[in-house]
Structure formats: structure tokens, C-alpha cells
Amino acid sequence: MRWRLVSACAALCAVLSVSAVAPAQQQWKKMRSVRGQVLTSPYQPPVRLKFNRAFKYVGRQYFVLYERARAEQFYFVDADRSGRIRRLYIVQFEGFLSNAEGRYDYSNQKTVELGGETYAANAQIVPSITAVLKQNPDSDAARAVAFLRGKGYEAGESVMFQRFVRVLDETRRNEFIIIYVEDLSGTGLRAADFDEGGKAAAQKDRILEGLSARALKGFVILK
């Protein structure tokens, strides 16, 4: 999810309060930054991302996810004048808290090479954001939606997303995620059209491949 909107969040769940990680949050504020179209992180991982000028940086937030992991999200949005989101990048830095057990594992997913590093990659169509957020109101996706609404932005009811995720170091307790989201209405199709027997069912793989290609065009990992 990341806007994970459907799956990977469910594995996390128990122990520690938001106040307990306040010092870490203050450290994040000092260390990660956005200047113009460039997001810079000096650690976990050290990386610089430059986004296309069509995407406006609208802010970041920090939170504890399921009381087990710290998370920091950055948002770059392409929206119309009414605040309706056409396209969106969410960049997420996440890691288990010191007293929480767990490891990140994406070994069953296909991979791509970005900036000289290996990322797990997956794409999905989300028929109903409302249903997903109702099912899991504490997810990082729900936090993202609430943050963006607070900034005056609204996503469509149906979206599709491409996620790139990199597990950091040998402990596998920290991860770095880039999520690209598009309003499905931009395709002229409805989510039901991709169901078995739907008019776009045979086109689903091709459409998601196109989504992945567009996701890769909107940013570059700088040296």
C-alpha cells in the first residue's frame, strides 16, 4: 500500500504509542526534505528523487502504523482546479519500531531495477476506495486519503496504482516505497469492466503495463 490500498498493510498490528516516537519524528523533519521537485533522504535509504513539474508537492506527514511501524509519507499531486486528483505519487519511508517483531518480505513479486537497486513491483485496480478504507480505516492508505482531503484534494472512487518497494539492509526491517496512483476514469472504463467477462477484461494486463510505464516517466532517481 500501499496506497497499498488492498493488501500489504494487514500484516502489521500491536504495541507502542505515537508519543513514544515523537523524537524520531523530529529527526525525520530535520533530515528528509523537499526542494523544488527534488525529495532528498540522507538515510534509510539515502536517495534523491526528482518529480516531473506536472506534480505539485503538497506536504508530508508522520505516523505510527498499526502501533508497530513508523511511517513518513511525501505527496506529489497532479489535480484539476477543483482539487480532483488525476495522478499522484506517494513516497513512503517505513520501518518497524525497535520493540516490534517483523520483517518485510516481497520475495514472491516480480522485480525491476531503478537507480541501480532492485525493487519489488506490483500494480492493481481498486474498484472502490470507500470500501477499502471502510474495511481498514487505520491503514497507511487511509492516512494518505485523510491528509490529502485536509489539503483540499479528493481522489476518484476507482483508481489504479503501481507500487515499487525496496527492502533495506539485511535486517529487512525497513522499506522504501514509491506509489503511483491514477484516477481510473481517465481510461474511460469502470472497475467492473475488468471483471471476468467484462468488456476490458482481456485488456487488463496491457492497461496495467501502460500504467507502469507512465509511473516510471514521472520521476527519476538522481545520483
Side-chain angles (χ1 to χ4, degrees):
M1 282 233 189
R2 309 270 168 158
W3 177 290
R4 282 200 297 231
L5 287 168
V6 286
S7 55
C9 296
L12 306 174
C13 64
V15 195
L16 214 78
S17 66
V18 174
S19 61
V21 296
Q25 292 181 354
Q26 293 302 320
Q27 183 184 41
W28 298 343
K29 290 180 182 180
K30 292 178 182 177
M31 298 192 72
R32 293 192 178 112
S33 63
V34 175
R35 185 171 182 177
Q37 297 301 113
V38 178
L39 187 163
T40 300
S41 171
Y43 77 114
Q44 289 184 340
V47 67
R48 296 174 67 225
L49 299 177
K50 184 175 183 179
F51 292 88
N52 186 286
R53 290 187 178 276
F55 294 89
K56 177 184 176 182
Y57 173 61
V58 300
R60 61 181 171 181
Q61 69 170 338
Y62 318 85
F63 52 89
V64 174
L65 183 61
Y66 302 119
E67 298 185 332
R68 288 183 59 83
R70 69 188 186 283
E72 180 180 14
Q73 292 178 332
F74 292 78
Y75 307 92
F76 292 81
V77 174
D78 173 25
D80 64 21
R81 292 184 178 181
S82 70
R84 170 89 174 206
I85 296 171
R86 292 182 289 240
R87 301 178 295 168
L88 161 72
Y89 282 99
I90 303 173
V91 180
Q92 184 161 318
F93 301 86
E94 182 180 318
F96 285 103
L97 298 172
S98 60
N99 64 341
E101 296 183 359
R103 299 287 188 275
Y104 296 106
D105 184 4
Y106 299 91
S107 56
N108 293 326
Q109 293 188 9
K110 70 176 184 179
T111 61
V112 297
E113 296 295 316
L114 300 176
E117 300 287 349
T118 301
Y119 289 74
N122 72 299
Q124 294 186 32
I125 294 170
V126 181
S128 171
I129 288 180
T130 300
V132 170
L133 300 186
K134 184 177 181 180
Q135 180 181 6
N136 197 351
D138 298 321
S139 69
D140 44 358
R143 303 269 193 157
V145 169
F147 179 89
L148 291 166
R149 284 176 175 167
K151 295 290 185 178
Y153 296 98
E154 193 71 37
E157 177 61 12
S158 298
V159 302
M160 52 185 180
F161 72 91
Q162 171 69 54
R163 180 181 66 172
F164 305 104
V165 55
R166 175 182 158 200
V167 177
L168 310 177
D169 64 59
E170 293 181 355
T171 69
R172 306 188 69 84
R173 288 177 56 80
N174 294 282
E175 63 178 358
F176 171 58
I177 309 157
I178 303 168
I179 306 134
Y180 174 70
V181 184
E182 282 188 6
D183 189 329
L184 187 61
S185 66
T187 66
L189 297 167
R190 300 174 302 121
D193 294 333
F194 296 95
D195 293 341
E196 185 176 355
K199 67 178 183 180
Q203 305 174 45
K204 183 176 180 179
D205 288 345
R206 180 180 59 80
I207 288 172
L208 290 179
E209 287 174 2
L211 174 73
S212 179
R214 291 191 296 276
L216 292 170
K217 287 181 179 179
F219 74 95
V220 61
I221 299 178
L222 302 175
K223 300 294 185 182

